[in-house]
């Protein structure tokens, strides 16, 4: 059987590559590669050799033109050396091959701004949603309760009802270009995660439970295939109980909530892509 | 012609930036504003087709979901006033740089020389519909219809007081009518004007030193050289030497120094780089009139401490590299080494709080990165000392309001740390109004590196003659010229604007991404940081390693043309590392740099000639013997006389109930919650967070120290903590220092740090202690410094704390000829060490009702310099005395208890004493506490034992611990004979109740009220 292989792209301000790779390994991937964008643009590493792509947290280009904007532009226009191919073609082929992409925080912002999410009607390069400045006007590092939509097609959240994860962002407010887009996201159960009350029963707009003022409390969305997902909270930051803010006072399982997303991804790859 | 692209949020989208400005205008300028909206302006000064420009505006510059755009047509509408704020020429414009790169990707073409994108922000301000008086009592407000009740003077205040730092930014204010008449703002291109010689070429001047002493002083002062007359005379003598003149003639130089040489010496000999005060010869006289000579405080105390502690540790010594590199290196385990450094960036933060602090954090990042062969950065720490942000008295001109300094510094460090992907895990905010003269901005960074890289110890490095001088990272501009020398003087009205830099975390991040890979491939032999003094300092120091260098300044990449050679040499433009690359590796090094988008340039080569040899376009412009640069300066002679100050005694209030006092203390600036700041710092990136800054049932109790796992597949943890207590300096800097060290270690111990592997790091921030006309009390301030060093040695030796690195900043004064403001002498003491198993870490929140509350340590009448006395408006004299012997055995026993798993919670007692610590532990855990003051162990005269003292004394080395009743026997057995008493119990009822010595309740309050008092003060900042 072929190996399950995950890739984490880094460079130009990506910060969470090591813990994302760690989560992939714990999640069960046979092989995990941290690839600097320079290695991809030089043709040394090809996305085609992997089944799971991690676009992880950080401050791509310093958020200078708005979070992830410059990287979205780079990925769309940069060419891979020696191939005559634009990098974006590797991305569309990756999606077309039925593979998995998980965007966390800055990676979610990148997917939104490249147009990869929500990917309605197979449009993976047309932007229709965005993530912008938190209503409070400040960067926030705090832990949030997340309600999972059990009817979502996301392959990452299978079997999950709720999650408790940290957010760490200044631009996490989810907005759609039109009420129609939002309606379709909700109708098709693409809003995988919503900031919620501590019982994880209902989405909330109340700060700081909802740290940024996202529409309908949306914290993460997926495409209609469920294979592409983006979320502002950091699943890779909670894979062991010692990362939980109250581990010294609560009895917690060894593994953190976030690890399940990576386990599900590895499981999906093993069953469907190997 | 330049084009203006304007990008505005759609009307339906909340403008978070605008709302924040609106709130600040109302809160700090007390002006009525209905709305503030913002527009981003990109001035594109490049040859682009209209289609390309349109694509750029539509694509990378604009988010179509929420924004709209226009080109060369003003987008602003519906406002009373508009203010446009842009950068002055030459100031780092990070967003402009990213926009330029984005356009280059889009068009597939590089920008030409001189082409650029410049950014600005427009603030559209709408006043209140009815022109209510903005400021009561002025009566003179000239407002007219349509100005929203705001006059031009109000807008000037908004622009200069909030929106714009005129040192680095320019602004234009237009009314609606003016805006309409002009058709908006013209495109402004803040290109740097070329000011080189008349022929447009860079020039080198000779400076005639054969002049009078007065003239020498003038040359130093007007050139911001910060050289004393004595130092100028030493330079004069050097250039008079026949031998020197003969050698100079051979390379085509005259008998006068060039500006390159003089500037280079000024940097190398600056207090900032040379630490002349710490290496000077002190004549110290104590209070009994006994005199002695101290040759170098640094050698006699700081280095001696480490030497003696290491000898004491014997084969348990864990120091690997101390004092000789950019940061200290200690062992973490067999395979990994830890690197730690804390720096200050005070003077730049006083002038431009945002840029100064940002540069502070990204600057200190380069220290561990430039230590040994280079370390991966694992966390930041930061400590800020400010004046009261609500300060309401007049300030000398040139000083920014403490509130602006607070905002700017907090944001600068936020951007620097978060964008670099380094968690900020530990810090403090300390307040004293004397910090309005100069704020203190301490930034620390730790790193980790494999103990061996390519088969050799990673903490060692060397340079061989013939190795190439390579500079990587950012380009050189006029930013940061004279940073080293200007911070070696007091802040004054003429402090140079060029001393300010703005850091760029992303350029640095790219460089680090490249260099860490180059390190593992063995592509360089030596690495160091370009900080203060720029190349003159980094190459100068590298020269000291190998014996000489030959470098052509014309090869250095510049941000814009027109820099003179001396400017290239000393510019402190950010994000640069200097390396020694073996010639056989240079091809691979440069190729790899290019593929990572990092600029790397060969500037010359290292030699063993004994000469620091600078050229410009192959013509010699500086020729300085390395020995003269590094050893040419005789030690300063520094008088010091210690006269213990006598502060007015403060009477303890005798009251039936101290609940209100406790609430006031909880709300005091030095005690209150800093959560509004801390949440803005990413403290969890990299995934190793174990003890976070906030803990407890609702994640809002203040942790004593941080625990981090730098290796995700291991449970070995790094523990970091600090201590700082400037207020005690008003009584005795010996005890200020002792308390800072003790506080650092007890915070460290509280969470579980091991005493077997812990090192210290000292950061001295002093007011000028050199006796002079400007500083008539120099002998006293110098004596304060001596006493601090004595304590440093005594306490560190007792605590087995080797000092592995540190820094001093000795000129923290403001002086404008009339008013002088000196900071209180301040030592920040940081500790870094290890917890073998991070899963054993303990936090400060009480865990369960029924747990027994213990106080470790004895309490004495030590309220001198306390928060309680400050609340009463005084200082007093009874400063806390550290009993290191008792404390060390207590800490050892506590650590055994912690390893035995019998400790439920532990919180250190510091500002505000027992009452504050108990309140914090209780509300953090969500359970109440009943305590009995009669059960505290008392030390000293019983006559001084009273409720207020027991509640608020800041006696050192005390910890408040809770233990489950079924483990209390074991705990007490372990703690036997170390000064431990059970003083109460954790209760289900959410109340803090403290009984006084006579049994009557002296404090009683619901936890919610206490927490509110603690959280309210800085919540909105």
């Amino acid at each position: 059987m072929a190996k399950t292989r995950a890739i984490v792209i880094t460079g130009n301000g990506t910060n969470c590559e090591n813990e994302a790779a760690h989560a992939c390994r714990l999640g069960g991937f046979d092989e995990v590669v941290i690839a600097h964008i320079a290695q991809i643009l030089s043709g040394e590493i090809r996305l085609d050799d992997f089944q799971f792509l991690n676009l992880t947290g950080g401050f791509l280009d310093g958020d200078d033109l708005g979070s992830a904007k410059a990287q979205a532009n780079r990925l769309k226009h940069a060419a891979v050396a020696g191939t005559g191919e634009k990098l974006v073609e590797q991305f569309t082929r990756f999606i077309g091959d039925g593979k998995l992409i998980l965007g966390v925080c800055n990676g979610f912002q990148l997917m939104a701004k490249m147009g990869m999410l929500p990917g309605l009607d197979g449009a993976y390069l047309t932007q229709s949603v965005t993530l912008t400045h938190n209503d409070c006007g400040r960067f926030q590092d705090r832990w949030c309760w997340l309600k999972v939509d059990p009817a979502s097609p996301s392959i990452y959240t299978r079997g999950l009802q709720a999650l408790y994860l940290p957010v760490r962002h200044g631009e996490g407010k989810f907005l759609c270009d039109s009420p129609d887009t939002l309606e379709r996201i909700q109708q098709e159960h693409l809003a995988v995660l919503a900031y919620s009350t501590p019982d994880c029963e209902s989405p909330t707009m109340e700060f700081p439970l909802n740290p940024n003022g996202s529409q309908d409390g949306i914290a993460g969305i997926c495409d209609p295939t469920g294979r592409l997902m983006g979320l502002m909270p950091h699943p890779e930051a909670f894979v062991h109980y010692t990362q939980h803010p109250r581990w010294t006072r609560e009895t917690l399982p060894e593994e953190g909530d976030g690890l399940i997303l990576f386990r599900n991804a590895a499981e999906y790859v093993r069953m469907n892509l190997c | 012609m330049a084009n203006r692209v304007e990008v505005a949020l759609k009307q339906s989208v909340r403008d978070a930036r605008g709302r924040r400005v609106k709130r600040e205008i109302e809160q700090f300028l007390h002006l009525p504003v209905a709305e503030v909206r913002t527009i981003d302006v990109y001035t594109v000064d490049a040859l682009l087709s209209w289609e390309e420009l349109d694509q750029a505006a539509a694509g990378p510059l604009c988010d179509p979901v929420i924004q709209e755009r226009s080109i060369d047509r003003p987008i602003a509408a519906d406002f009373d006033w508009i203010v446009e704020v842009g950068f002055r020429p030459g100031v780092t414009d990070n967003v402009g740089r990213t926009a330029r790169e984005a356009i280059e990707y889009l068009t597939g073409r590089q920008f030409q020389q001189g082409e650029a994108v410049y950014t600005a922000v427009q603030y559209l301000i709408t006043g209140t519909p009815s022109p209510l008086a903005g400021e009561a009592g002025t009566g003179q407000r000239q407002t007219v219809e349509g100005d929203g009740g705001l006059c031009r003077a109000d807008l000037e205040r908004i622009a200069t007081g909030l929106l714009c730092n005129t040192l680095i930014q320019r602004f234009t204010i237009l009314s609606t009518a003016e805006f309409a008449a002009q058709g908006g703002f013209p495109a402004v291109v803040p290109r740097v004007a070329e000011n080189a010689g008349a022929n447009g070429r860079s020039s080198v001047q000779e400076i005639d030193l054969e002049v009078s002493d007065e003239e020498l002083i003038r040359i130093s002062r007007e050139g911001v050289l910060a050289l004393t007359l004595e130092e100028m005379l030493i330079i004069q003598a050097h250039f008079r030497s026949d031998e020197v003149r003969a050698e100079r003639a051979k390379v085509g130089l005259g008998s006068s120094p060039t500006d390159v040489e003089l500037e280079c010496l000024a940097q190398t000999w600056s207090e900032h780089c040379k630490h002349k005060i710490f290496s000077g010869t002190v004549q110290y006289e104590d209070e009994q009139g006994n005199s002695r000579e101290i040759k170098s405080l640094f050698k006699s105390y700081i280095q001696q401490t480490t030497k003696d502690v290491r000898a004491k540790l014997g084969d348990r010594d864990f120091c690997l590299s101390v004092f000789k590199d950019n940061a200290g290196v200690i062992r973490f385990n067999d395979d990994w080494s830890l690197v730690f450094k804390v720096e200050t960036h005070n003077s730049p933060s006083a002038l431009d709080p945002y840029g100064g602090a940002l540069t502070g954090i990204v600057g200190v990042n380069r220290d561990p990165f430039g230590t040994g062969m280079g370390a991966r950065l694992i966390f930041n720490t930061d400590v800020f000392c400010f004046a009261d942000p609500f300060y309401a008295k007049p300030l000398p001109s040139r000083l920014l309001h403490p509130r602006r300094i607070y905002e700017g510094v907090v944001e600068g460090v936020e951007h620097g740390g978060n964008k670099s992907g380094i968690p900020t895990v530990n810090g403090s905010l300390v307040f004293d109004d004397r910090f309005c003269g100069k704020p203190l901005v301490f930034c620390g960074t730790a790193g980790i590196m494999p103990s061996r890289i390519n088969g050799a110890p990673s903490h060692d490095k060397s340079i061989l003659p013939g190795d190439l001088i390579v500079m990587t990272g950012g380009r050189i501009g006029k930013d940061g010229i004279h940073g080293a020398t200007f911070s070696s003087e007091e802040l004054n009205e003429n402090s140079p604007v060029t001393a300010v830099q703005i850091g760029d975390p992303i350029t640095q991040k790219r460089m680090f991404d490249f260099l860490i890979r180059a390190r593992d491939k063995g592509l360089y032999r030596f690495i160091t940081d370009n900080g203060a003094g720029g190349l003159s300092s980094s190459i100068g120091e590298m020269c000291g390693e190998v014996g000489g260098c030959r470098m052509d300044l014309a090869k250095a990449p510049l941000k814009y043309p027109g820099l003179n050679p001396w400017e290239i040499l000393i510019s402190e433009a950010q994000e640069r590392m200097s390396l020694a690359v073996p010639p056989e590796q240079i091809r691979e090094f440069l190729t790899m740099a290019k593929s990572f988008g990092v600029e790397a340039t060969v500037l010359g080569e290292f030699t063993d000639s004994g000469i620091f040899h600078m050229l410009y376009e192959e013509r010699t412009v500086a020729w300085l013997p390395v020995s003269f640069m590094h050893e040419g300066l005789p030690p300063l002679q520094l008088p010091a006389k210690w006269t213990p100050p006598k502060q007015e005694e403060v009477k303890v209030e005798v009251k039936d109930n101290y609940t209100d006092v406790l609430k006031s203390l909880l709300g005091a600036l030095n005690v209150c919650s800093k959560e509004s700041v801390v949440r803005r710092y990413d403290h969890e990136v990299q995934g190793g967070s174990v003890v976070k800054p906030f803990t407890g049932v609702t994640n809002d109790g203040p942790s004593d120290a941080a625990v981090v796992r730098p290796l995700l597949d291991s449970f070995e943890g790094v523990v970091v903590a600090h201590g700082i207590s400037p207020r005690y300096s008003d009584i005795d800097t010996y005890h200020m220092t002792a308390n800072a060290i003790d506080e650092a270690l007890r915070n460290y111990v509280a969470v579980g740090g091991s005493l077997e592997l812990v090192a210290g790091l000292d950061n001295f921030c002093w007011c000028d202690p050199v006796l002079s006309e400007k500083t008539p009390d120099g002998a006293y301030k110098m004596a304060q410094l001596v006493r601090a060093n004595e304590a440093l040695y005594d306490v560190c030796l007792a605590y087995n704390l080797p000092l592995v690195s540190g820094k001093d900043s000795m000129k923290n004064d403001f002086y404008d000829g009339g008013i002088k403001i000196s900071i209180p002498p301040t030592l920040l003491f940081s500790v870094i060490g290890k917890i073998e198993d991070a899963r054993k870490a303990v936090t400060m929140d009480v865990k369960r009702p029924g747990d027994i509350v213990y106080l470790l340590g004895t309490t004495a009448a030590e309220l001198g310099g306390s928060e309680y006395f400050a609340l009463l408006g005084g200082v007093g004299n009874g400063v806390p005395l550290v009993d290191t012997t008792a404390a060390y055995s207590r800490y050892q026993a506590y650590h055994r208890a912690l390893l035995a798993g019998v400790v439920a919670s532990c919180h250190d007692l510091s500002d505000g004493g027992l009452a504050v610590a108990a309140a914090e532990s209780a509300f953090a855990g969500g359970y109440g506490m009943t305590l009995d003051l009669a059960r505290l162990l008392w030390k000293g005269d019983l006559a001084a034992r009273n409720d207020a003292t027991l509640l608020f004394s800041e006696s050192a080395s005390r910890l408040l611990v809770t233990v489950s009743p079924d483990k209390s026997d074991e705990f007490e057995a372990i703690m036997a004979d170390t000064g431990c008493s059970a003083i109460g119990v954790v209760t289900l009822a959410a109340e803090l109740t403290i009984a006084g010595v006579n049994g009557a309740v002296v404090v009683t309050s619901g936890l919610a009220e206490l927490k509110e008092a603690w959280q309210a003060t800085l919540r909105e900042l």
Side-chain angles (χ1 to χ4, degrees), chain A residues 19 64 69 130 141 248-249, chain B residues 62-63 98 684 686 843 845:
Chain A
E19 58 267 42
D64 283 344
K69 285 285 293 173
T130 198
D141 179 337
T248 59
R249 57 184 301 119
Chain B
C62 169
D63 182 336
T98 302
E684 298 177 276
Q686 300 190 10
T843 53
D845 47 316

Side-chain angles (χ1 to χ4, degrees), chain B residues 107 175 192 232 241 263 308 332 337 362 386 426 480 575 704 708 717 775 807 897 930 955 966 985:
Chain B
T107 61
S175 66
V192 178
M232 289 297 282
S241 145
E263 290 283 354
D308 291 354
F332 183 58
S337 305
V362 296
F386 298 138
N426 185 245
E575 293 82 41
D704 290 328
V708 171
T775 311
K807 196 73 194 256
T930 56
S955 291
D966 60 335
V985 66

